[in-house]
Amino acid sequence: MTLLVGTVIIGVALGMLIGILGLSIVVLHKSTGVANFAQGALAMVAAFICLQLITGIGLALWISVGLALILMILAGALIYLLVLRPKDGAGSLNVTMRTLGLLLVLVAGTQIRWADGQPYSFPAIFSRKAAFTLGGVPVTWLTLATIAVASALAFGTWWYFERTRTGLAFLALAANADVARLLGVRTRRLTLIAWMFASASSLVVAVLIAPTSLVSTDMMDTYVLFAFGAAVVGGLDSLGGVFVGGILIGIANAITSVYIDSQTAVLVVFAIVLGTLVLRPQGLFGTPALERL
């Protein structure tokens, strides 16, 4: 029983990380109507930038994280202004394909600059020593801190959308973009903020994942697939649902990995995603799409 409890705690930590990444995808989807395929690449680039500040320049870990956070916020703004905003009326498919092109550019550029010698080790922002052990499963301080940071970010996001004027404008935009524009909501400014948020949150995920997964150009591949899965399971229009979906996926992955193997765990995760798409297309907390005939 203690083995199961320890495994569930690790799964919750993984699920919260997936939830943060998925939250960025959901926020952008709610504000723009497109899926950001470059979200994982943004986190990967954030990890490399932070590592370069630590090893290349010699800055302290916390200073490097803070500086990298500022750089990623600026990068999110530039990505929107230079890549997404020009001719943004070309349609959602066009804009979605731009995010796919951005993914390829970021990965190719990172491979040219930093691929030699990867994967790289990354210092843990929180201790990787075991806080306690359950059933032979060590639960580290990094795991507990991950749950705490993700919970704080989830609460902060909820408060922002429910208690601030800009957040309420986001909800209005997500509910009906055309009506929001007619009411004077500055939709492009909100989309800019959404991209800045997505880039900033990618750094949070990167510095929490990098100490255990190491830093490489493919470090986020599985995580971003799980994040899309969490968004599908929770609902692409549900900010809270993506964390529930992430936790379900994280726990399923952790339990299957411990009791069977990691390959089967991936199979189980995507079976859950596929089953959700078949049985409840809008996700657990999503709103069904209604079409007028």
Side-chain angles (χ1 to χ4, degrees):
M1 185 62 183
T2 53
L3 173 60
L4 178 61
V5 174
T7 303
V8 167
I9 292 175
I10 293 175
V12 169
L14 173 62
M16 295 297 278
L17 281 175
I18 294 170
I20 296 175
L21 204 60
L23 177 66
S24 303
I25 295 171
V26 170
V27 167
L28 284 174
H29 183 268
K30 286 173 73 69
S31 60
T32 65
V34 301
N36 178 23
F37 287 104
Q39 189 63 49
L42 285 172
M44 177 268 295
V45 170
F48 272 103
I49 290 175
C50 194
L51 184 63
Q52 182 65 30
L53 293 173
I54 296 171
T55 60
I57 301 179
L59 297 179
L61 175 59
W62 282 101
I63 295 176
S64 299
V65 171
L67 183 56
L69 179 62
I70 296 173
L71 292 175
M72 290 305 298
I73 292 174
L74 293 175
L78 287 175
I79 286 171
Y80 171 69
L81 294 174
L82 299 179
V83 179
L84 283 306
R85 179 168 176 173
K87 299 186 183 300
D88 54 2
S92 58
L93 178 60
N94 178 279
V95 179
T96 300
M97 294 307 295
R98 293 188 205 184
T99 68
L100 181 58
L102 177 62
L103 161 67
L104 299 176
V105 168
L106 291 176
V107 171
T110 305
Q111 287 179 333
I112 293 172
R113 178 63 180 87
W114 287 302
D116 291 341
Q118 66 174 330
Y120 301 97
S121 60
F122 191 94
I125 196 167
F126 298 105
S127 175
R128 296 175 61 183
K129 295 182 178 179
F132 53 87
T133 301
L134 288 173
V137 178
V139 180
T140 66
W141 290 108
L142 177 60
T143 298
L144 298 178
T146 297
I147 296 174
V149 170
S151 299
L153 184 59
F155 175 80
T157 304
W158 171 85
W159 180 88
Y160 176 79
F161 280 100
E162 296 291 337
R163 296 290 186 269
T164 68
R165 291 187 62 182
T166 306
L168 293 173
F170 261 116
L171 296 180
L173 176 63
N176 193 315
D178 293 332
V179 173
R181 292 188 187 96
L182 291 174
L183 293 176
V185 175
R186 301 176 64 180
T187 57
R188 284 179 169 174
R189 186 182 70 172
L190 294 180
T191 304
L192 171 64
I193 294 173
W195 272 96
M196 294 167 68
F197 170 81
S199 295
S201 61
S202 68
L203 173 72
V204 176
V205 174
V207 298
L208 292 173
I209 288 176
T212 53
S213 67
L214 302 180
V215 179
S216 66
T217 52
D218 61 353
M219 61 179 285
M220 296 302 303
D221 289 357
T222 301
Y223 290 97
V224 75
L225 290 175
F226 283 3
F228 273 102
V232 168
V233 172
L236 275 170
D237 59 350
S238 174
L239 295 173
V242 69
F243 280 97
V244 176
I247 290 173
L248 290 175
I249 286 175
I251 292 175
N253 180 78
I255 290 177
T256 310
S257 296
V258 169
Y259 287 96
I260 304 178
D261 56 61
S262 57
Q263 288 80 13
T264 305
V266 175
L267 174 63
V268 169
V269 166
F270 290 120
I272 292 173
V273 175
L274 181 59
T276 302
L277 288 169
V278 172
L279 299 176
R280 191 174 174 82
Q282 73 272 23
L284 297 177
F285 301 95
T287 304
L290 301 178
E291 296 185 5
R292 180 176 298 173
L293 298 177

